[in-house]
Amino acid sequence: MGKISTLLIGGAIGAAAALLYAPRKGEETRALVSEKVNAVWGEAKDWTAGAPAQAQSAYQSAQVRGEAVLRDVTAKGQELASAAKAQASEFAQVASEKGHEVASFVQGAVTASPAADDELRAKIEAARQRIAAQVVKNAEESSDTVEVKPEVEAPAEDASTQDKQD
């Protein structure tokens, strides 16, 4: 309570000093204060009267800006969607072309003509014959270079070893 009482006492002393040393008379001071209060009150009334109009104007301005932003965003979204659709279509076409190429290649490999099969078989048979001829040739050459060594007779067995075997 000490702080509040000190504040009240200080306020009372200040008010008394202001009244004693005021440059104008009380009537003049009251009239001046009344004029200032009326001016401020008038400005407040004008401001509060204009506030709904200002708020409405601000709301309409914000609405117009919001609609413009919405149109811009919608237009950009449509542009991006169109570009993505075009790229997807282009990708699909390239993928389709590559798929047809692969399918043609696979179909060609699977449905090869019988003439091509016969030609391949003939080449394989010719290669087998060349290999067989080379093997025979190599065998003849190796038999010509191999020296035949005389057979060595096995040592005669002991009679005792032969008897045991009989």
Side-chain angles (χ1 to χ4, degrees):
M1 283 267 183
K3 290 182 182 181
I4 292 176
S5 60
T6 305
L7 177 68
L8 292 175
I9 292 172
I13 293 173
L19 288 175
L20 291 175
Y21 291 106
R24 296 187 183 102
K25 294 184 181 180
E27 287 181 22
E28 292 175 12
T29 305
R30 282 192 297 273
L32 184 63
V33 168
S34 177
E35 287 175 23
K36 292 288 183 182
V37 167
N38 286 336
V40 169
W41 185 256
E43 289 176 15
K45 281 184 178 180
D46 292 343
W47 184 82
T48 56
Q54 290 175 350
Q56 183 67 25
S57 174
Y59 173 76
Q60 288 174 349
S61 176
Q63 187 177 13
V64 168
R65 285 187 213 145
E67 289 172 355
V69 167
L70 180 62
R71 280 193 305 272
D72 290 346
V73 167
T74 303
K76 290 289 184 183
Q78 288 174 346
E79 288 176 20
L80 291 173
S82 295
K85 185 177 179 181
Q87 287 180 346
S89 175
E90 193 175 311
F91 177 75
Q93 184 175 356
V94 169
S96 176
E97 290 172 1
K98 293 294 182 181
H100 287 300
E101 288 177 15
V102 169
S104 297
F105 177 76
V106 169
Q107 185 178 12
V110 169
T111 60
S113 67
D117 288 345
D118 291 341
E119 183 180 334
L120 183 60
R121 284 189 184 108
K123 287 181 180 179
I124 291 171
E125 187 57 36
R128 283 183 185 159
Q129 289 175 0
R130 282 195 307 271
I131 291 170
Q134 186 66 38
V135 167
V136 169
K137 182 179 172 186
N138 289 346
E140 288 175 356
E141 287 177 1
S142 66
S143 68
D144 288 344
T145 59
V146 172
E147 296 179 22
V148 178
K149 293 185 180 179
E151 290 185 27
V152 178
E153 290 185 21
E157 292 185 18
D158 260 350
S160 62
T161 309
Q162 276 186 341
D163 290 339
K164 288 180 185 177
Q165 288 179 356
D166 289 334

